[in-house]
Each structure stands twice: as structure tokens, then as C-alpha cells.
């Protein structure tokens, strides 16, 4: 039975990966997470009692603790998702982004390299360091074209610049030390357990509570949306079958303007939560984000052709599931919006 060390497993995408790995494979999973404001163990209650799941509250910048985790758990692979992930926070306070996304990735790479060097035979040959990154490293597109794996890096925000740096470190550890790495660059994710600072969960919860739905600028910026469980499936596919040293773009072929996304949420809420309809009356245009990237769009041909991955959800099916989930999972929502999730975490690990 293989052991996968997943960093950032208490976050939005990491928790989807942990749940999928526990429910659909026989891997052991070690979740390494510092539990910042974005880490929420309530997203893992469905798997946390499984004997194949272990949690380590560790900062990936802490070299001694990261090395201890490698020694104790002897992983066969790393899936590295821990990061500061919100562009707006990176604009008002970039320091944590530089620390976690760059220094943290470096620290993890060095611990992984020492561990990999200590392995022998099959275990060494099959070891993988899977770095999870974003399409935002490519910068912004005009009206036409797509990001491919060959697109030049042109990151524009402190967040995307820190992720681009981490991608380069991973690439260099492969080129220089021969580390067995794979990297994936994915488009915007949405789905259950998403922290309500990002557009889709923020708009759902504001609309339910009769609060304004803030749209930056004119609402004509375009994002390419992927349902989080489709991303988690893609990550497993790349981990298990991706070619070493390669990068794979992951996307859902679902380009939407922000205004289209917000209007689609309002229409779903008018049907599923008619109190307050029409919810679109709450749409409020606010000041634009500094340096706001105009358009992201992923060409996901390589992962489809080489590894056979395709998304299962359309934007319509995924968004309906997401809105319904936020309406049904009031305990999780209450925990997050009241801040109680952080006390709950402290109580569990007191
Ligand atoms: P998230 O903010 O929801 O979760 C990040 C997790 O990392 C949290 O659990 C947090 O506690 C943990 N963490 C932060 N700093 C840490 C540190 N120093 N040590 C240990 N743990 C730490 O992020 P997410 O949306 O789940 O994104 C996960 C990864 O996927 C990130 O690397 C992000 O760049 C990438 N990504 C995200 C998207 C998206 O749309 N959300 C798209 C493409 C790629
Ligand atoms: P976000 O969910 O923060 O993801 P990212 O910046 O990584 O793409 O934002 C998605 C889009 O929605 C982005 O173009 C900014 C916009 N946006 C708003 O218009 N209003 C909001 O309140 C937020 C959080 C985002």
C-alpha cells in the first residue's frame, strides 16, 4: 500500500484530493497543513477517522518539522498543494505568498530530495513529486487564443509571480538533481468546501443573505472554470501516469465572464432558494482589482490526448451541484462564516 503525502490537504482543492484518495484508492494519506485561515478540518470529517488518513499540523517552511514528517511517514509520492491562494490578499499583503509559495516549496523540495536519495530500487524509481500550480503563471490573454504548456510565463500578480517562482524551482530540481517531478497548471476551480472569499462561494452566500454581489470593474473579465472533483481526478491521473519532467495544463473548456457567472448563480438561487428573488437585483459594480488579468483560457488537449483525462461536469451541472451544496451544508457554512471552524480545530488538537 502506497503512502501519499499531501500538502495543503485542509484547503479547498487539497481536501477534495484527500477525500478522493481515501474513498477511491487504497493509498495511505498524510495531510501536511499549517491550518492558516484557509485550512479547515471540518472539510475532512467524512474521512478523518479512516485508519489510512493521518494529519500533521506542520508549516512547510519549517525544515526540521518537514524532515521529521518524511522520516516518520516514508512517503512514496508528494502532492504539493499548500499555498497562499487568493489574488486579492496577495495585493494587500504579499509577504506570506513569498514565504509559503516560494520558500515553502524550496523547503519541501530539499526534504523530498533527501528522502528520495535515501530510497533504493523500485521505491526510488517510482517516487514522484507532483507540484500543483495555476494557469495564472502565464499572465493574461487577449480576446483569442489559449494557454498551452509552451506558453511563456508572464505572471502579473504577487500570487501568480510566487507560483511561477515555485514552478521554476520544481523544474530546476528536476533538471539539476534529476528529481522525479510532474507539474500541473490548472484553471479556476469551483465546488463544495470553497472558502467564501473567492468569487463563486462569496456570491452564493451573499445572495442567500441579501447582501450586495460585488463585481469588479465591468464584470467582463473571463475565467475558465473547472469543477473541483474533476481537478482532483486529473491530479490523480497525472500522479499515476504523467511523464516525469513534463507539465500538464488542466482546464474545463468553460470560459465565462464574471457577470455571466454571477447571473447564473442568481438564476439557480431564484429556483432553489426563492426567498429574495430576483437575486440579480443585488449585483453591485465595485472598483476594479489592481492589475486585473483580463482573460484566462486553458488548452487541455495534452492531458486529454496523452493521459485520457476529460472533465465529467459541464459548468451548468457543476454550478447547480455547488449552489445546492451551499444551501444544504449549513453547518459547514456557519462554521466558516462565524470563524468557529478555527476554534473547532484548536479543540480537536488541544
Ligand atoms: P486554499 O487556500 O483553499 O488552501 C491552501 C491550504 O494550504 C490551506 O489548507 C492552508 O492551511 C495550507 N497552507 C497555507 N500555507 C501553508 C504553509 N506554510 N504550510 C502548510 N500548509 C499551508 O487553496 P486551494 O484553492 O485549495 O489551492 C490549492 C493549490 O492549488 C494551490 O497551490 C493553488 O495555487 C493551486 N490552484 C488553485 C486554483 C483555484 O482555483 N483555487 C486553481 C489552480 C491551482
Ligand atoms: P477569484 O475567485 O478571486 O479568483 P482569481 O482571481 O484567482 O481568478 O476571482 C475570480 C474573478 O472574479 C476575478 O476576475 C476577480 C473577480 N471577482 C469579482 O468580480 N468580485 C469579487 O468579489 C471577487 C472575490 C472576485
Amino acid at each position: 500500500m502506497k503512502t501519499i503525502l499531501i500538502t495543503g490537504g485542509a484547503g479547498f482543492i487539497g481536501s477534495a484530493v484527500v477525500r478522493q484518495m481515501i474513498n477511491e484508492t487504497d493509498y495511505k494519506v498524510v495531510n501536511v497543513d499549517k491550518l492558516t485561515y484557509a485550512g479547515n478540518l471540518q472539510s475532512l470529517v467524512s474521512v478523518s477517522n479512516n485508519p489510512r488518513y493521518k494529519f500533521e499540523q506542520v508549516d512547510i517552511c519549517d525544515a526540521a518539522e518537514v524532515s521529521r514528517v518524511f522520516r516518520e511517514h516514508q512517503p512514496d509520492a508528494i502532492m504539493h498543494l499548500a499555498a497562499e491562494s487568493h489574488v486579492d490578499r496577495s495585493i494587500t499583503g504579499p509577504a506570506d505568498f513569498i514565504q509559503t509559495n516560494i520558500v515553502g516549496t524550496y523547503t519541501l523540495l530539499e526534504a523530498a530530495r533527501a528522502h528520495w536519495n535515501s530510497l533504493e530500487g523500485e521505491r526510488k524509481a517510482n517516487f514522484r513529486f507532483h507540484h500543483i500550480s495555476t494557469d495564472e503563471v502565464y499572465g493574461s490573454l487577449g480576446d483569442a487564443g489559449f494557454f498551452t504548456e509552451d506558453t511563456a510565463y508572464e505572471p502579473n500578480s504577487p500570487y501568480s509571480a510566487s507560483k511561477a517562482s515555485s514552478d521554476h524551482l520544481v523544474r530546476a530540481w528536476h533538471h539539476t538533481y534529476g528529481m522525479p517531478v510532474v507539474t500541473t497548471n490548472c484553471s479556476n476551480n469551483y465546488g463544495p468546501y470553497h472558502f467564501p472569499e473567492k468569487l463563486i462561494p462569496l456570491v452564493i452566500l451573499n445572495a442567500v443573505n441579501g447582501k450586495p454581489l460585488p463585481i469588479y470593474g465591468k464584470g467582463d473579465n473571463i475565467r475558465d472554470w473547472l469543477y473541483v472533483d474533476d481537478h482532483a481526478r486529473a491530479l490523480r491521473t497525472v500522479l499515476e501516469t504523467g511523464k516525469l519532467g513534463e507539465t500538464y495544463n488542466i482546464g474545463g473548456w468553460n470560459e465565462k465572464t464574471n457577470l455571466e457567472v454571477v447571473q447564473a448563480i442568481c438564476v439557480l438561487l431564484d429556483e432553489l432558494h426563492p426567498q429574495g428573488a430576483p437575486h440579480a437585483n443585488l449585483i453591485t459594480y465595485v472598483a476594479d482589482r489592481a492589475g486585473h488579468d483580463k482573460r484566462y483560457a486553458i488548452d487541455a488537449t495534452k492531458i486529454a490526448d496523452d493521459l485520457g483525462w476529460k472533465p465529467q461536469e459541464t459548468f451548468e451541472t457543476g454550478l447547480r451541484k455547488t449552489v445546492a451544496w451551499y444551501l444544504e451544508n449549513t453547518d459547514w457554512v456557519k462554521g466558516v462564516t462565524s470563524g468557529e471552524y478555527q476554534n473547532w480545530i484548536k479543540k480537536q488538537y488541544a
Side-chain angles (χ1 to χ4, degrees), residues 161-279:
S162 68
K163 290 296 293 187
S165 306
S166 67
D167 294 9
H168 291 321
L169 290 174
V170 171
R171 182 180 188 281
W173 259 241
H174 175 67
H175 189 81
T176 303
Y177 304 112
M179 276 273 293
V181 309
V182 280
T183 294
T184 48
N185 296 85
C186 188
S187 62
N188 285 61
N189 283 214
Y190 69 100
Y193 302 101
H194 204 181
F195 193 79
E197 63 181 355
K198 306 274 170 68
L199 179 70
I200 288 183
L202 179 113
V203 163
I204 296 171
L205 296 185
N206 277 16
V208 167
N209 292 303
K211 293 186 184 164
L213 313 180
I215 296 203
Y216 299 166
K218 293 191 194 131
D220 57 357
N221 300 68
I222 292 173
R223 297 293 181 264
D224 180 1
W225 294 95
L226 181 68
Y227 192 67
V228 66
D229 290 341
D230 275 326
H231 187 193
R233 272 185 283 277
L235 294 179
R236 182 175 161 204
T237 302
V238 172
L239 179 79
E240 292 175 345
T241 62
K243 205 168 146 214
L244 290 187
E246 295 280 318
T247 70
Y248 296 90
N249 282 353
I250 307 172
W253 304 99
N254 279 314
E255 284 184 64
K256 304 279 172 206
T257 67
N258 292 338
L259 186 58
E260 284 171 336
V261 169
V262 173
Q263 282 169 336
I265 294 170
C266 290
V267 168
L268 280 166
L269 281 172
D270 290 349
E271 176 196 330
L272 301 173
H273 186 268
Q275 305 92 306
H279 292 88

Side-chain angles (χ1 to χ4, degrees), residues 8 10-14 33-36 38-39 58-60 81-83 85 100 132-134 159 163 186-189:
F12 166 50
I13 301 170
D33 199 298
K34 178 183 176 181
L35 299 181
T36 67
V58 166
D59 183 341
I60 56 161
L81 295 101
S85 70
T100 287
I132 284 81
S133 192
T134 166
Y159 164 66
K163 290 296 293 187
C186 188
S187 62
N188 285 61
N189 283 214

